Amino acid sequence: MRKVKNSLIVIPMKDPEISKSRLRDSLAPEARKRLAVQLFRNTVDVLIKSVQMSGEKFDIAVITNSTRIKKIAEEKQILIIQDYQEPVLSSSIAKASHWAAQNDYKSMCVIPADLADPKIKDIMSFISHPLPDEGLAITPSIDFGTNALHLSPVNLIKFHYGEKSFLKHINAARNIGITPIILPYDSLRFDIDTCSDLKELFVSNPGLVEQVLL
């Protein structure tokens, strides 16, 4: 009999070389790469601390095809799920779900790599929120994307990332008789996709300006 493992937190991460293309009008290519890497590092650090402080039994993994990101993951001692193709977010998460199922995880939590300033208390509350054996918890972004998703089992629904994905995930859950749990934690709702997001980030975190712009 196969033993069901703990839950898995997955961070999908593109190659920094092609990340944050929507910010091309505000940042030069090298600055966009530095921003993507710095946001990823910060997200991983916050997740590690949140899991440690919560006492929850979560493993943390990144799914990526980037050699640079794999090296950072090794440095941070988190798991690596190899994405052999050019990442498309929905398909990357589906691959991570398949990997989690093959490795007997009971649930999977998806956290984006580009959260502006995730707070430990919000991450702890999200991952600690009770989830039924068949259930889904979700935090929407400010524009109704999906900024945090926790589901059990790991392949409960088909993944729908992109415009208004929050609503698509809500409908996918309801279509199979699941009542979704909506957890609108403030610091998990803000990611960096647009130039206005970037301006808000630099105002709230001026130290990041030096790290990105050098």
Side-chain angles (χ1 to χ4, degrees), residues 9-204:
I9 298 175
V10 173
I11 312 162
M13 182 62 189
K14 286 183 180 179
D15 189 326
E17 294 287 337
I18 60 172
S19 294
K20 300 301 162 197
S21 59
R22 292 170 65 184
L23 302 178
R24 64 172 64 91
D25 292 337
S26 297
L27 291 177
E30 287 299 321
R32 294 201 303 270
K33 285 187 278 187
R34 286 192 292 270
L35 175 65
V37 169
Q38 190 58 41
L39 290 174
F40 171 69
R41 284 183 176 275
N42 182 60
T43 296
V44 172
D45 288 343
V46 170
L47 285 172
I48 290 171
K49 291 178 183 176
S50 299
V51 170
Q52 289 173 343
M53 292 176 66
S54 70
E56 298 290 335
K57 294 181 179 179
F58 278 88
D59 291 336
I60 302 172
V62 61
I63 180 165
T64 189
N65 68 346
S66 165
T67 300
R68 183 176 184 184
I69 295 302
K70 289 179 204 170
K71 288 180 180 177
I72 296 173
E74 290 170 354
E75 167 196 322
K76 302 288 186 183
Q77 297 184 320
I78 65 172
L79 300 171
I80 298 168
I81 305 172
Q82 176 69 51
D83 198 350
Y84 290 100
Q85 298 177 339
E86 195 63 44
V88 175
L89 188 53
S90 295
S91 61
S92 291
I93 299 305
K95 290 171 191 172
S97 170
H98 181 68
W99 185 93
Q102 284 187 318
N103 286 276
D104 301 315
Y105 284 94
K106 65 180 182 180
S107 72
M108 183 177 77
C109 181
V110 183
I111 301 290
D114 61 348
L115 291 175
D117 188 22
K119 302 297 186 187
I120 290 175
K121 63 179 179 62
D122 288 346
I123 294 287
M124 287 174 60
S125 295
F126 185 83
I127 66 176
S128 299
H129 193 93
L131 195 67
D133 290 338
E134 290 190 352
L136 179 147
I138 189 168
T139 297
S141 66
I142 56 176
D143 59 355
F144 293 102
T146 301
N147 268 17
L149 182 66
H150 191 191
L151 66 164
S152 174
V154 299
N155 54 3
L156 178 72
I157 59 167
K158 183 178 179 181
F159 299 100
H160 300 276
Y161 282 86
E163 187 176 358
K164 308 295 190 223
S165 63
F166 166 74
L167 302 176
K168 294 174 183 177
H169 285 137
I170 290 290
N171 288 333
R174 288 175 174 163
N175 286 341
I176 58 171
I178 301 296
T179 300
I181 303 165
I182 301 173
L183 302 172
Y185 294 112
D186 287 342
S187 77
L188 305 187
R189 301 195 66 190
F190 179 34
D191 53 5
I192 308 301
D193 283 329
T194 67
C195 296
S196 60
D197 294 338
L198 185 66
K199 290 177 182 177
E200 188 172 342
L201 173 66
F202 282 171
V203 169
S204 64

